[in-house]
Amino acid sequence: MTTAQITLAVALSLVFLPLGLGKIAAVPFMRQAAAHLGMSPGLYRVVGALEAAGAVGLLLGPASAPLGVAAGIGLALLMTAAAVVHLRHGDPPVRALPAAVLALTAVAYAGATVAAG
């Protein structure tokens, strides 16, 4: 595993782990975000669990490349869905941009891990 891969894995994990845990704990900001998107707190907790699991998978990627790739792909799909949900709920594109950037970063991580093979 290269330094770039490890850096991407750690950076993505530092974003997804706290966000996922915040959704699982249903902190007020996350409850407001769920309501804004028309999601139940329970569904938002599921999203948070997927984010936290993805973050852990990325951190375990150096020990198990297939796990890291699966985590990267899963997070990319999750963030693509998040961007679509924001746009469908009438948010301006700038509100979907962080999810889109995270999706592309997760794809870059997964692609680099596969290429390093």
Side-chain angles (χ1 to χ4, degrees), residues 62-85:
S64 173
L67 179 61
V69 170
I73 292 170
L75 287 169
L77 292 171
L78 187 65
M79 290 299 99
T80 300
V84 169
V85 167

Side-chain angles (χ1 to χ4, degrees), residues 49-68:
L50 292 172
E51 289 175 346
V56 171
L58 291 173
L59 293 174
L60 295 175
S64 173
L67 179 61

